[in-house]
Amino acid sequence: MRRLLILALAACAAAHESCCEKATKAEPEFIIDPDDAPPDVYEGEPRYVADPADTAPAAWDEDEDGPYERRLIENPRYAWAPREIENPRYRPPASLGERYADEVREAAPWVALGAVVAAVLDAAPVPSFAGALKTPGAAGVVAGALVGLATPLCSCGVLPGAAALAAEGVPLGSVVAFLTAAQSSGLDSAAITYGLLGWRAALARLLGAVVLACAAGLAVGRSAATPRKESSQRDARLDAKPLKGFGPKKVDAFAAAGVHTVAELAHFAVSDQALATKTGLPVKTVSKWRDAAGDWLEHNTSNGGGPPTKQPTNVVATALRVAAEVFPSVLVGLAVSTAALHYAPSLASAHDAYASAASGAVLRLATLAATIPLQLCEHATVTLAAGVQKGGGSAGLAFAFLLAAPATNASSLLLLAKQPSAVARAVSALTAAALVLSYVVDLAGADLLVVAESESDGGGGGGLELPGWVEGQADALVALLAVTTLYHAVRPKRHGEACGDGCKDD
């Protein structure tokens, strides 16, 4: 148990697979020369000698049968060894820069795919599922977790979708639940698990992912995501004080009910009484401010304060904008993850200094928390979780590690960095939930076959894979994402365009 933390980190460095790419087996620098045959005699010693323990059978008659020849055995004093030659397939360990470049190339197609999916959903002439995730409270968080499970994208590909949900004004708790569940598990991998290990293991993975996602989402449930600013005045946020006298307490009360903008306050699809119950405010106060919001919209919008209408969307422009928002977080997150994985083995030398003072519970918690910044996809983590169990960890810890390791990473955390307190609550809740889940599985005496899955033919793989021709354009996609990000960072914002917090209308 003492070496679990270092084992987990070292395993990450040895077996990390970004975006579900299978890691290649390391080749040795030198191999035995297949053409070097052992001589019959080396340095005066024969290769084989007669076995002194081999005696003639009792019925053996040398006069009739001839001299008895003892069987030959390998001569223990025969010291020949085959020569070694350079391995033509050997590749020296990649430098930190090379590993980082490889990670970025592997992530770029997924970021691009995620941005395109987010743009298509935004432009589709059908009700967006973002509306369901805007439900306040636990219902929205659970909905976010379930939508996340149904998303067959890897950790890099799901970030654009999360950014798009936040930009649509989906509460941060629902966004966090969506992001956590999508990275932790999914229906695509559950199908593979079902085929390999049966329905109990598959169902346990899905339920465990929902538990972690809901724990993280509920921990930040009262925080509001920051939607994109639009040219329309209807998207004015209540915390920007467009309504005179609307103080912070009322902002918080309505935010807890899922109301963040003047338009949402005026057109929220519940009665004054129901909204008063959600906010904890008197019905008269709710009615007063809804009327005020309607009056404000009537004087400040082009359609007299009517319900919002969805404007036509340029899919290409939206995809490029979403990619530009997400790509910097991916770059920084991969840098943190790659550096941690590259230098993880060096931590082993410091392990003995603190292992003797750490209890099993502390190391269990540290093992789960150590993977928080690392970019580990759900499928690759199967091997690492099995390594934890083989190294002395319990079946419950291996199961919790399997779900928690891919559930978050530095890229995801940076996407939410504008609200650091919410990030801290989400990380703390996720780690605590994973710790509790590990003990629950152990107390139940269940082994959810993490090791068996790692040793199966499937190896924990599965899920969506990109066509080879897409992966072959990785360098071009990296260049496109970099140029798009720089362009959106330096160009002046024009009136009527979506922009960040620092954007001001003309």
Side-chain angles (χ1 to χ4, degrees), residues 187-494:
L187 297 178
D188 56 332
S189 61
I192 303 297
T193 303
Y194 171 78
L196 293 173
L197 307 175
W199 67 268
R200 289 184 178 85
L203 182 61
R205 308 279 169 89
L206 292 176
L207 292 178
V210 170
V211 168
L212 297 187
C214 289
L218 291 173
V220 298
R222 292 182 62 85
S223 301
T226 304
R228 299 187 303 266
K229 292 184 180 178
E230 308 288 346
S231 59
S232 172
Q233 291 291 328
R234 70 174 58 260
D235 292 318
R237 291 181 57 80
L238 295 173
D239 54 13
K241 301 181 180 179
L243 304 179
K244 188 175 181 180
F246 200 86
K249 291 185 179 179
K250 294 184 180 63
V251 170
D252 292 341
F254 281 100
V259 179
H260 307 289
T261 67
V262 176
E264 289 175 346
L265 178 58
H267 303 295
F268 204 67
V270 296
S271 66
D272 290 351
Q273 179 64 54
L275 187 55
T277 302
K278 291 176 178 292
T279 59
L281 298 174
V283 177
K284 184 180 295 186
T285 300
V286 170
S287 179
K288 167 190 170 182
W289 286 111
R290 295 188 79 171
D291 291 341
D295 293 340
W296 190 91
L297 285 173
E298 186 173 355
H299 289 88
N300 291 276
T301 58
S302 59
N303 68 346
T309 56
K310 186 173 179 65
Q311 301 298 319
T313 303
N314 185 320
V315 174
V316 175
T318 301
L320 292 175
R321 174 183 52 74
V322 172
E325 290 176 0
V326 171
F327 195 51
S329 296
V330 172
L331 291 178
V332 176
L334 287 177
V336 173
S337 178
T338 303
L341 294 168
H342 187 78
Y343 293 113
S346 65
L347 298 175
S349 60
H351 179 261
D352 291 335
Y354 65 84
S356 59
S359 67
V362 171
L363 278 179
R364 184 180 287 226
L365 179 62
T367 301
L368 295 171
T371 61
I372 287 173
L374 304 183
Q375 194 91 11
L376 301 173
C377 82
E378 163 203 352
H379 311 287
T381 314
V382 172
T383 301
L384 311 184
V388 169
Q389 188 169 353
K390 290 176 181 178
S394 67
L397 178 57
F399 177 70
F401 183 98
L402 176 67
L403 295 176
T408 190
N409 49 63
S411 299
S412 302
L413 300 179
L414 287 170
L415 191 65
L416 310 173
K418 290 183 179 179
Q419 300 199 37
S421 61
V423 172
R425 291 198 299 273
V427 169
S428 299
L430 189 149
T431 306
L435 180 64
V436 172
L437 190 62
S438 72
Y439 280 112
V440 169
V441 172
D442 287 338
L443 289 175
D447 185 349
L448 295 172
L449 307 176
V450 175
V451 174
E453 183 170 358
S454 72
E455 295 174 348
S456 66
D457 292 337
L464 180 66
E465 294 184 3
L466 294 177
W469 65 267
V470 174
E471 295 179 343
Q473 303 302 316
D475 289 335
L477 289 172
V478 171
L480 175 62
L481 291 171
V483 170
T484 301
T485 301
L486 290 174
Y487 173 71
H488 281 78
V490 302
R491 73 173 184 140
K493 305 297 182 186
R494 294 176 295 181

Side-chain angles (χ1 to χ4, degrees), residues 7-25:
L7 174 62
L9 291 174
C12 291
H16 172 54
E17 301 169 338
S18 176
C19 294
C20 307
E21 290 291 334
K22 295 294 183 183
T24 56
K25 185 177 180 180

